Coordinates of all heavy atoms in Angstrom, one line a residue:
R65 N -88.5 94.1 -92.8 CA -88.3 93.3 -91.6 C -88.0 91.9 -91.9 O -88.6 91.3 -92.8 CB -89.5 93.4 -90.7 CG -89.7 94.8 -90.1 CD -90.9 94.9 -89.2 NE -92.1 94.4 -89.9 CZ -93.2 95.0 -90.0 NH1 -93.4 96.2 -89.4 NH2 -94.2 94.5 -90.7
F66 N -87.2 91.3 -91.0 CA -86.8 89.8 -91.2 C -86.6 89.2 -89.8 O -86.3 90.0 -88.8 CB -85.6 89.6 -92.1 CG -84.4 90.2 -91.6 CD1 -83.5 89.5 -90.8 CD2 -84.0 91.5 -91.9 CE1 -82.3 90.1 -90.4 CE2 -82.8 92.1 -91.5 CZ -82.0 91.4 -90.7
R67 N -86.6 87.9 -89.7 CA -86.3 87.2 -88.5 C -85.5 85.9 -88.9 O -86.0 85.2 -89.7 CB -87.6 86.8 -87.8 CG -87.3 85.9 -86.6 CD -88.6 85.4 -86.0 NE -88.4 84.4 -85.0 CZ -88.5 83.1 -85.2 NH1 -88.8 82.6 -86.4 NH2 -88.2 82.2 -84.2
I68 N -84.4 85.7 -88.2 CA -83.6 84.5 -88.4 C -83.6 83.8 -87.0 O -83.0 84.4 -86.1 CB -82.2 84.8 -88.9 CG1 -82.3 85.4 -90.3 CG2 -81.4 83.5 -88.9 CD1 -81.0 85.8 -90.9
P69 N -84.2 82.7 -86.8 CA -84.2 82.0 -85.5 C -82.8 81.5 -85.2 O -82.0 81.2 -86.0 CB -85.2 80.9 -85.7 CG -85.2 80.6 -87.2 CD -84.9 81.9 -87.9
S70 N -82.6 81.4 -83.9 CA -81.4 80.7 -83.4 C -81.5 79.2 -83.7 O -82.6 78.7 -83.7 CB -81.2 80.9 -81.9 OG -80.1 80.2 -81.4
F71 N -80.4 78.6 -84.1 CA -80.5 77.2 -84.4 C -79.8 76.3 -83.4 O -79.4 75.2 -83.8 CB -80.0 77.0 -85.8 CG -78.6 77.5 -86.2 CD1 -77.5 76.8 -85.9 CD2 -78.5 78.7 -86.8 CE1 -76.2 77.4 -86.2 CE2 -77.3 79.3 -87.1 CZ -76.2 78.6 -86.8
G72 N -79.6 76.8 -82.2 CA -79.1 75.9 -81.2 C -77.6 76.1 -80.9 O -77.0 77.1 -81.2
A73 N -77.0 75.1 -80.2 CA -75.7 75.2 -79.7 C -74.7 75.1 -80.9 O -74.9 74.4 -81.9 CB -75.4 74.1 -78.7
V74 N -73.6 75.9 -80.7 CA -72.5 75.9 -81.6 C -71.2 75.4 -80.9 O -70.9 76.0 -79.8 CB -72.2 77.3 -82.2 CG1 -71.0 77.3 -83.1 CG2 -73.5 77.8 -82.9
H75 N -70.5 74.5 -81.4 CA -69.3 74.0 -80.7 C -68.1 74.4 -81.5 O -68.2 74.7 -82.7 CB -69.3 72.4 -80.7 CG -70.5 71.9 -79.9 ND1 -70.4 71.8 -78.5 CD2 -71.7 71.5 -80.2 CE1 -71.5 71.3 -78.0 NE2 -72.3 71.1 -79.1
P76 N -67.0 74.6 -80.9 CA -65.8 75.0 -81.6 C -65.4 73.9 -82.6 O -65.6 72.7 -82.4 CB -64.7 75.2 -80.6 CG -65.2 74.5 -79.4 CD -66.7 74.4 -79.5
E77 N -64.7 74.3 -83.7 CA -64.2 73.3 -84.6 C -63.1 72.6 -83.9 O -62.2 73.2 -83.3 CB -63.7 74.0 -85.9 CG -64.8 74.7 -86.6 CD -64.2 75.6 -87.7 OE1 -63.0 75.7 -87.9 OE2 -65.1 76.2 -88.4
P78 N -63.0 71.2 -84.0 CA -62.0 70.5 -83.3 C -60.6 70.8 -83.9 O -60.4 71.1 -85.0 CB -62.4 69.0 -83.6 CG -63.2 69.0 -84.8 CD -63.9 70.4 -84.8
A79 N -59.6 70.8 -83.0 CA -58.2 71.0 -83.4 C -57.7 69.8 -84.2 O -58.1 68.6 -83.9 CB -57.4 71.2 -82.1
R80 N -56.9 70.1 -85.2 CA -56.4 69.0 -85.9 C -55.1 68.4 -85.2 O -54.5 69.1 -84.4 CB -56.0 69.5 -87.3 CG -57.2 69.9 -88.1 CD -56.8 70.2 -89.5 NE -58.0 70.6 -90.3 CZ -58.1 71.7 -90.9 NH1 -57.1 72.6 -91.0 NH2 -59.2 72.0 -91.5
E81 N -54.8 67.2 -85.5 CA -53.7 66.5 -84.9 C -52.4 67.3 -85.2 O -52.2 67.7 -86.3 CB -53.6 65.1 -85.4 CG -52.6 64.3 -84.6 CD -52.6 62.8 -85.0 OE1 -53.7 62.3 -85.3 OE2 -51.5 62.3 -85.0
G82 N -51.7 67.6 -84.2 CA -50.4 68.4 -84.3 C -50.6 69.9 -84.3 O -49.6 70.6 -84.4
D83 N -51.8 70.4 -84.3 CA -52.1 71.8 -84.3 C -52.0 72.3 -82.9 O -52.6 71.8 -82.0 CB -53.5 72.1 -84.9 CG -53.7 73.5 -85.3 OD1 -52.8 74.3 -85.1 OD2 -54.8 73.8 -85.8
R84 N -51.2 73.4 -82.7 CA -51.0 73.9 -81.4 C -52.0 74.9 -81.0 O -52.1 75.3 -79.8 CB -49.6 74.5 -81.2 CG -48.5 73.4 -81.4 CD -47.2 74.1 -81.3 NE -46.1 73.1 -81.6 CZ -45.4 72.5 -80.7 NH1 -45.6 72.7 -79.4 NH2 -44.5 71.6 -81.0
R85 N -52.8 75.4 -81.9 CA -53.8 76.4 -81.6 C -55.0 75.8 -81.0 O -55.4 74.6 -81.3 CB -54.3 77.1 -82.9 CG -53.3 77.9 -83.6 CD -53.8 78.5 -84.9 NE -54.1 77.4 -85.8 CZ -54.8 77.5 -86.9 NH1 -55.4 78.7 -87.2 NH2 -55.0 76.5 -87.6
P86 N -55.7 76.5 -80.0 CA -56.9 75.9 -79.4 C -58.0 75.9 -80.4 O -58.0 76.6 -81.4 CB -57.2 76.9 -78.3 CG -56.6 78.2 -78.7 CD -55.4 77.8 -79.6
P87 N -59.0 75.0 -80.2 CA -60.2 74.9 -81.1 C -60.8 76.3 -81.2 O -60.9 77.0 -80.2 CB -61.1 73.9 -80.4 CG -60.2 73.1 -79.5 CD -59.1 74.1 -79.0
A88 N -61.3 76.6 -82.4 CA -61.9 77.9 -82.6 C -63.3 77.8 -83.2 O -63.6 76.8 -83.8 CB -61.0 78.7 -83.6
Y89 N -64.1 78.8 -82.9 CA -65.5 78.8 -83.5 C -65.5 79.4 -84.9 O -64.6 80.2 -85.2 CB -66.4 79.7 -82.6 CG -66.7 79.2 -81.2 CD1 -65.9 79.5 -80.2 CD2 -67.7 78.3 -81.0 CE1 -66.1 79.0 -78.9 CE2 -67.9 77.7 -79.8 CZ -67.1 78.1 -78.7 OH -67.4 77.6 -77.5
A90 N -66.4 79.0 -85.7 CA -66.6 79.6 -87.0 C -67.0 81.1 -86.9 O -67.6 81.5 -85.9 CB -67.6 78.8 -87.8
D91 N -66.7 81.9 -87.9 CA -67.2 83.2 -87.9 C -68.6 83.3 -88.6 O -68.8 82.5 -89.5 CB -66.3 84.1 -88.8 CG -64.9 84.3 -88.2 OD1 -64.8 84.3 -86.9 OD2 -63.9 84.3 -88.9
Y92 N -69.5 84.1 -88.0 CA -70.8 84.2 -88.5 C -71.1 85.6 -89.0 O -70.6 86.6 -88.4 CB -71.9 83.9 -87.4 CG -71.9 82.4 -87.1 CD1 -70.9 81.8 -86.3 CD2 -72.9 81.6 -87.7 CE1 -71.0 80.4 -86.0 CE2 -72.9 80.2 -87.4 CZ -71.9 79.7 -86.6 OH -72.0 78.3 -86.3
W93 N -71.9 85.8 -90.0 CA -72.2 87.2 -90.5 C -73.5 87.2 -91.3 O -74.0 86.1 -91.7 CB -71.1 87.7 -91.4 CG -70.8 87.0 -92.7 CD1 -71.4 87.2 -93.9 CD2 -69.9 85.9 -92.9 NE1 -71.0 86.4 -94.8 CE2 -70.0 85.6 -94.2 CE3 -69.0 85.3 -92.1 CZ2 -69.3 84.5 -94.8 CZ3 -68.3 84.2 -92.6 CH2 -68.4 83.9 -94.0
L94 N -74.1 88.3 -91.4 CA -75.3 88.5 -92.2 C -74.9 89.1 -93.5 O -74.0 89.9 -93.6 CB -76.2 89.6 -91.5 CG -77.1 89.1 -90.3 CD1 -77.9 90.3 -89.8 CD2 -77.9 88.0 -90.7
E95 N -75.6 88.6 -94.6 CA -75.4 89.1 -95.9 C -76.7 89.2 -96.7 O -77.6 88.5 -96.4 CB -74.3 88.3 -96.6 CG -74.7 86.9 -96.9 CD -73.6 86.0 -97.5 OE1 -72.4 86.3 -97.3 OE2 -74.0 85.1 -98.2
I96 N -76.7 90.0 -97.8 CA -77.8 90.0 -98.7 C -77.2 89.7 -100.1 O -76.0 89.9 -100.3 CB -78.5 91.3 -98.7 CG1 -77.6 92.5 -99.0 CG2 -79.3 91.6 -97.4 CD1 -78.2 93.8 -99.2
G97 N -78.0 89.3 -101.0 CA -77.6 89.1 -102.4 C -77.0 87.7 -102.6 O -76.2 87.5 -103.6
T98 N -77.3 86.7 -101.8 CA -76.7 85.4 -102.0 C -77.2 84.7 -103.3 O -76.5 83.8 -103.7 CB -77.0 84.5 -100.8 OG1 -78.4 84.4 -100.6 CG2 -76.3 85.0 -99.6
R99 N -78.2 85.1 -103.9 CA -78.7 84.4 -105.1 C -78.3 85.2 -106.3 O -78.7 84.9 -107.4 CB -80.2 84.3 -105.0 CG -80.6 83.4 -103.9 CD -82.1 83.2 -103.9 NE -82.4 82.5 -102.6 CZ -83.3 81.6 -102.5 NH1 -84.1 81.3 -103.6 NH2 -83.6 81.0 -101.4
T100 N -77.5 86.2 -106.2 CA -77.0 86.9 -107.3 C -75.5 86.8 -107.3 O -74.9 86.2 -106.4 CB -77.4 88.4 -107.2 OG1 -76.7 89.0 -106.1 CG2 -78.9 88.6 -107.2
K101 N -74.8 87.4 -108.2 CA -73.3 87.4 -108.3 C -72.7 88.3 -107.3 O -71.6 88.2 -106.9 CB -72.8 87.7 -109.7 CG -73.2 86.6 -110.7 CD -72.7 86.9 -112.0 CE -73.1 85.8 -113.0 NZ -72.6 86.1 -114.3
T102 N -73.4 89.3 -106.8 CA -72.9 90.3 -105.9 C -73.5 90.0 -104.5 O -74.7 89.9 -104.3 CB -73.3 91.7 -106.3 OG1 -72.9 91.9 -107.6 CG2 -72.7 92.7 -105.3
V103 N -72.6 89.8 -103.5 CA -73.0 89.5 -102.1 C -72.5 90.7 -101.3 O -71.4 91.2 -101.4 CB -72.3 88.2 -101.6 CG1 -72.6 88.0 -100.2 CG2 -72.8 87.1 -102.4
T104 N -73.4 91.2 -100.4 CA -73.0 92.3 -99.5 C -73.0 91.8 -98.1 O -74.1 91.4 -97.6 CB -74.0 93.5 -99.7 OG1 -73.9 93.9 -101.1 CG2 -73.6 94.7 -98.8
R105 N -71.9 91.9 -97.4 CA -71.8 91.5 -96.0 C -72.3 92.7 -95.2 O -71.7 93.8 -95.3 CB -70.4 91.2 -95.7 CG -70.2 90.5 -94.4 CD -68.8 89.9 -94.3 NE -68.5 89.4 -93.1 CZ -67.5 88.5 -92.8 NH1 -66.8 88.1 -93.8 NH2 -67.3 88.0 -91.6
L106 N -73.3 92.5 -94.4 CA -73.9 93.6 -93.6 C -73.3 93.7 -92.2 O -73.0 94.8 -91.7 CB -75.4 93.3 -93.4 CG -76.2 93.4 -94.7 CD1 -77.7 93.0 -94.4 CD2 -76.2 94.7 -95.3
R107 N -73.0 92.6 -91.5 CA -72.6 92.7 -90.1 C -72.0 91.3 -89.7 O -72.6 90.3 -90.0 CB -73.7 93.2 -89.2 CG -73.3 93.2 -87.8 CD -74.5 93.5 -86.9 NE -74.2 93.3 -85.5 CZ -74.1 94.2 -84.6 NH1 -74.3 95.5 -84.9 NH2 -73.8 93.9 -83.3
D108 N -71.0 91.4 -88.9 CA -70.5 90.2 -88.2 C -71.5 89.9 -87.0 O -72.0 90.8 -86.4 CB -69.1 90.3 -87.7 CG -68.1 90.4 -88.8 OD1 -68.4 90.0 -89.9 OD2 -67.0 91.0 -88.6
I109 N -71.7 88.6 -86.7 CA -72.6 88.2 -85.7 C -71.8 87.5 -84.6 O -71.1 86.5 -84.9 CB -73.7 87.3 -86.1 CG1 -74.6 88.0 -87.2 CG2 -74.6 86.8 -85.0 CD1 -75.3 89.2 -86.8
D110 N -71.8 88.0 -83.4 CA -71.0 87.4 -82.3 C -71.9 86.3 -81.6 O -73.1 86.5 -81.5 CB -70.7 88.5 -81.2 CG -69.8 89.6 -81.8 OD1 -68.9 89.2 -82.6 OD2 -69.9 90.7 -81.4
L111 N -71.2 85.2 -81.3 CA -71.8 84.2 -80.5 C -72.1 84.6 -79.1 O -71.4 85.5 -78.6 CB -71.0 82.9 -80.6 CG -70.7 82.3 -82.0 CD1 -69.7 81.1 -81.8 CD2 -72.0 82.0 -82.7
V112 N -73.1 84.0 -78.5 CA -73.5 84.4 -77.1 C -73.4 83.2 -76.2 O -73.3 82.1 -76.6 CB -74.9 85.1 -77.1 CG1 -74.9 86.4 -77.9 CG2 -75.9 84.1 -77.7
D113 N -73.6 83.5 -74.9 CA -73.5 82.4 -73.9 C -74.7 81.6 -73.6 O -74.6 80.6 -73.0 CB -73.0 83.0 -72.6 CG -71.6 83.6 -72.7 OD1 -70.8 83.0 -73.5 OD2 -71.2 84.5 -72.0
H114 N -75.9 82.1 -74.0 CA -77.1 81.4 -73.7 C -78.0 81.4 -74.9 O -78.0 82.2 -75.8 CB -77.8 81.9 -72.5 CG -78.2 83.4 -72.6 ND1 -79.4 83.8 -73.2 CD2 -77.5 84.5 -72.2 CE1 -79.4 85.1 -73.2 NE2 -78.3 85.6 -72.6
G115 N -78.8 80.3 -75.0 CA -79.6 80.0 -76.2 C -80.8 80.9 -76.4 O -81.5 80.9 -77.4
R116 N -81.2 81.7 -75.4 CA -82.4 82.6 -75.6 C -82.0 84.0 -75.9 O -82.9 84.9 -75.8 CB -83.2 82.5 -74.3 CG -83.7 81.1 -74.1 CD -84.8 81.1 -73.0 NE -85.4 79.8 -72.9 CZ -85.3 79.0 -71.9 NH1 -84.7 79.4 -70.8 NH2 -85.9 77.8 -71.9
A117 N -80.8 84.3 -76.3 CA -80.4 85.7 -76.6 C -81.1 86.2 -77.9 O -81.3 85.4 -78.8 CB -78.9 85.8 -76.7
V118 N -81.5 87.4 -77.9 CA -82.1 88.0 -79.1 C -81.3 89.3 -79.5 O -80.9 90.1 -78.6 CB -83.6 88.4 -78.8 CG1 -84.2 89.1 -80.0 CG2 -84.4 87.2 -78.4
L119 N -81.1 89.4 -80.8 CA -80.4 90.6 -81.3 C -81.3 91.3 -82.2 O -81.9 90.8 -83.1 CB -79.1 90.1 -82.1 CG -78.3 91.2 -82.8 CD1 -77.7 92.1 -81.7 CD2 -77.2 90.5 -83.5
H120 N -81.5 92.6 -81.9 CA -82.4 93.5 -82.8 C -81.5 94.4 -83.6 O -80.6 95.1 -83.0 CB -83.3 94.3 -81.9 CG -84.3 93.5 -81.2 ND1 -85.6 93.2 -81.7 CD2 -84.3 92.9 -80.0 CE1 -86.3 92.5 -80.9 NE2 -85.5 92.2 -79.8

Side-chain angles (χ1 to χ4, degrees):
R65 292 182 303 234
F66 63 91
R67 174 187 170 263
I68 297 176
S70 177
F71 52 84
V74 177
H75 298 277
E77 297 171 355
R80 295 189 179 125
E81 190 174 323
D83 193 0
R84 294 179 189 259
R85 293 178 297 164
Y89 292 93
D91 294 324
Y92 288 81
W93 64 89
L94 283 180
E95 66 184 25
I96 57 173
T98 56
R99 296 182 188 217
T100 65
K101 293 182 181 180
T102 305
V103 175
T104 302
R105 190 168 175 159
L106 296 174
R107 178 190 167 110
D108 293 338
I109 301 298
D110 295 326
L111 299 177
V112 294
D113 293 330
H114 57 88
R116 293 194 174 116
V118 177
L119 178 61
H120 294 269

